[in-house]
Amino acid sequence: MVSESTSLALQRKKVCVIGAGMAGLAAARELRREGHAVTVLEQSGDVGGQWLYDPRSDAADPLGAEEPVTVHSSIYASLRVISARENMGFTDFVFAPKDGRDQRRYPGHREVYLYLKDFCDAFGLMESVMLNTRVLRVAMAMAPPSPACRQWAVRSVRLGKCDDEEAATDEEELFDAVVVANGHYSQPRVPSIEGMDAWTGRQMHSHSYRTPEPFRGEVVVLVGCGESGKDIAMELRGVAKEVHLVAKSMEEVTPGLAKVLAKHGTNLRIQLRLDRLCEDGRAVFGDGSGVLADAVIYCTGYDYSFPFLDTAGAVTVDDNRVGPLFEHVFPPSLAPSLAFIGIPIKVFTPWFFEAQSKWVAQVLSGKRTLPSEEEMLRSVEEWYRSREITGTPKKYTHDVSDLDITYMDEFGHKYCDFPRVERWNFEQLVASYIDMVENLETFRDDYQDNDAIRKGAEEWHLAAHIKGHAAH
């Protein structure tokens, strides 16, 4: 259990936040609120993280085999969010529609980026952000006399317009604490397919996909039936000769996808498993059938990646399990001087990042205390065992919700007195998911709210409108 500290003399720490995306900005705001001195290091030329669309792709490494990748963002030009905007804001800075911008409930990626820019402006965060700064190494400065005296050496390099790391000069600075918030949708997770090394066609990960035009008139195989795979398949079918979407099993064919296949079956087809790639250009599927393909796109997800982080083995990534992390945030042996924000998936963002950040900020200031290292490790092991009992693969260790807000609610309530998710928000989340499953092609624009969601959304919009006028 976490208890309140009785000390009135709160500590002010010098904290480095790595990444100025949604999680990093949440951390910066909460750390500053708690009185800490914050420096945010961001390798891109602007804030936004994944939401900062980059038309470039890793042309020299389209599979993303190198770590780290050259281009951080994995967003494609047409991407729209799959969560309603009413569920996507900070608690005190709602993601409200704005005149002259994308006002849809499920807006495009640029609207999220602009919202994060607005958030930065509203709370003066840019004064803490160093752009075009790539973190090269984070390691303990030296063995401290006690954990309370631990410091971290952060080595970084300022990138010029040419992004030439070789020509730049390294800089190293000491910090009392480091918050890692570099996201986890950049380093491609690429499967091992027989023959892929010798196959002569184009192969890439969806990380490098931007627009459909390069695939006009081609036969394309898409491996992976997740949200991005289905999204890209529906977009490609408008220009490609044939699109073959590969699923692991027929269980992945939702009613919504079945409707899409029935409607666009002339050139969009489902296949089960990609068995092998042949030197003659064929892609052979699990049932023995095959097609002469021009391109294969792997929509197979991403790996957690911290190439800059040196913890001497205290934190590792094993089949996408980052650990050990107490409550997915603190490594027990290095807490509280090292923390991770944004590791869990399938959570309300940035709401959950905000709760995590508030907890970290208060622990660092001494307002909250952590359990002993032994207790934290025991909690981590209990979480691992609970995953194993339910048959959850290790790579889903940080999937904490699956349409269950219990963990999110209890986390915020337990560790930082954070407001609980309102009932109508949860109903909207579930309704959005059901709509997506049932009506994949239309759910973002054709939705029917029940009375509770309608009333909650109306009050939300009204409050946002009033706040917007008050701000002016």
Side-chain angles (χ1 to χ4, degrees):
M1 291 289 292
V2 171
S3 61
E4 291 280 2
S5 171
T6 56
S7 173
L8 298 177
L10 299 182
Q11 303 169 53
R12 184 175 187 266
K13 301 285 190 180
K14 181 182 177 184
V15 186
C16 176
V17 176
I18 300 174
M22 194 175 272
L25 295 176
R29 199 267 294 259
E30 295 305 325
L31 288 163
R32 282 163 52 104
R33 276 181 162 176
E34 195 63 18
H36 301 295
V38 180
T39 300
V40 183
L41 302 183
E42 170 53 52
Q43 65 180 346
S44 301
D46 202 352
V47 299
Q50 273 301 321
W51 301 103
L52 177 60
Y53 175 71
D54 191 336
R56 301 175 303 159
S57 63
D58 285 305
D61 182 24
L63 283 175
E66 298 296 322
E67 185 179 5
V69 291
T70 304
V71 177
H72 178 72
S73 180
S74 300
I75 283 180
Y76 40 95
S78 65
L79 184 141
R80 288 175 66 184
V81 299
I82 61 172
S83 296
R85 69 188 308 143
E86 293 92 337
N87 288 330
M88 283 191 67
F90 292 96
T91 53
D92 58 353
F93 194 76
V94 297
F95 187 19
K98 287 199 167 188
D99 292 341
R101 296 207 329 217
D102 188 344
Q103 299 190 34
R104 295 173 295 181
R105 173 173 280 184
Y106 299 86
H109 58 81
R110 180 167 172 76
E111 186 65 13
V112 183
Y113 159 74
L114 293 173
Y115 167 71
L116 293 175
K117 291 281 286 181
D118 291 342
F119 178 73
C120 277
D121 292 341
F123 295 98
L125 299 182
M126 287 307 299
E127 65 188 41
S128 294
V129 179
M130 292 178 62
L131 299 173
N132 297 307
T133 305
R134 179 170 296 148
V135 176
L136 302 178
R137 187 169 184 264
V138 174
M140 272 190 290
M142 62 184 71
S146 73
C149 302
R150 184 181 288 126
Q151 283 195 311
W152 293 85
V154 178
R155 186 158 58 91
S156 62
V157 60
R158 296 298 299 272
L159 304 174
K161 291 181 180 178
C162 62
D163 204 39
D164 185 3
E165 199 172 302
E166 300 271 336
T169 304
D170 295 0
E171 297 179 6
E172 187 167 286
E173 189 172 356
L174 293 179
F175 292 89
D176 301 315
V178 171
V179 175
V180 179
N182 65 325
H184 49 82
Y185 293 108
S186 288
Q187 192 65 46
R189 190 177 179 92
V190 182
S192 178
I193 305 294
E194 181 185 338
M196 66 185 296
D197 291 340
W199 198 64
T200 55
R202 258 192 306 166
Q203 294 183 81
M204 63 189 292
H205 190 274
S206 57
H207 165 72
S208 296
Y209 174 83
R210 293 296 180 268
T211 63
E213 192 56 36
F215 304 91
R216 181 170 292 278
E218 293 189 347
V219 175
V220 184
V221 174
L222 278 167
V223 182
C225 211
E227 307 316 328
S228 62
K230 289 180 285 195
D231 235 16
I232 294 171
M234 288 190 293
E235 179 167 77
L236 283 179
R237 59 143 296 276
V239 300
K241 179 182 178 182
E242 294 175 17
V243 176
H244 296 264
L245 180 60
V246 179
K248 292 177 184 175
S249 71
M250 288 304 292
E251 291 180 4
E252 292 188 325
V253 182
T254 62
L257 178 55
K259 292 176 185 177
V260 170
L261 293 168
K263 181 179 178 181
H264 304 295
T266 53
N267 72 336
L268 176 58
R269 294 148 202 181
I270 194 76
Q271 306 288 354
L272 293 182
R273 302 185 310 281
L274 178 58
D275 186 64
R276 65 186 184 277
L277 296 170
C278 304
E279 289 188 41
D280 62 4
R282 285 182 306 129
V284 180
F285 304 112
D287 63 356
S289 66
V291 293
L292 197 62
D294 298 291
V296 176
I297 304 176
Y298 299 98
C299 304
T300 46
Y302 297 87
D303 284 327
Y304 293 91
S305 176
F306 314 102
F308 51 82
L309 187 59
D310 180 0
T311 64
V315 180
T316 61
V317 181
D318 178 15
D319 192 18
N320 256 9
R321 171 181 284 176
V322 185
L325 293 182
F326 175 58
E327 297 288 16
H328 311 275
V329 175
F330 289 110
S333 65
L334 298 172
S337 68
L338 181 64
F340 293 76
I341 301 296
I343 294 290
I345 61 173
K346 295 187 180 177
V347 294
F348 282 97
T349 59
W351 180 95
F352 191 71
F353 300 162
E354 190 180 354
Q356 288 184 309
S357 299
K358 187 178 288 291
W359 182 36
V360 170
Q362 292 181 356
V363 169
L364 287 174
S365 72
K367 188 179 291 184
R368 305 263 175 176
T369 57
L370 291 173
S372 68
E373 181 179 340
E374 292 74 20
E375 289 177 278
M376 288 191 282
L377 279 170
R378 189 159 50 247
S379 173
V380 174
E381 289 302 325
E382 287 173 359
W383 176 261
Y384 290 171
R385 279 196 297 273
S386 72
R387 303 275 89 183
E388 291 165 7
I389 290 170
T390 58
T392 304
K394 184 183 290 186
K395 65 181 179 180
Y396 298 129
T397 294
H398 305 293
D399 179 349
V400 301
S401 100
D402 198 22
L403 296 184
D404 178 3
I405 62 169
T406 304
Y407 180 86
M408 289 187 286
D409 261 359
E410 291 305 316
F411 176 94
H413 177 71
K414 183 177 182 181
Y415 293 122
C416 55
D417 296 326
F418 211 64
R420 294 183 181 274
V421 177
E422 292 189 42
R423 185 68 197 177
W424 74 268
N425 279 127
F426 174 59
E427 288 188 24
Q428 187 182 50
L429 174 72
V430 174
S432 295
Y433 176 77
I434 293 173
D435 283 347
M436 182 172 64
V437 169
E438 296 291 331
N439 302 292
L440 178 62
E441 198 169 18
T442 60
F443 78 96
R444 293 182 180 91
D445 299 305
D446 185 16
Y447 46 83
Q448 299 295 321
D449 293 340
N450 64 28
D451 290 341
I453 296 173
R454 187 180 304 110
K455 184 175 184 295
E458 286 173 356
E459 291 176 354
W460 181 90
H461 280 268
L462 178 61
H465 181 72
I466 292 171
K467 282 184 180 178
H469 277 280
H472 290 89

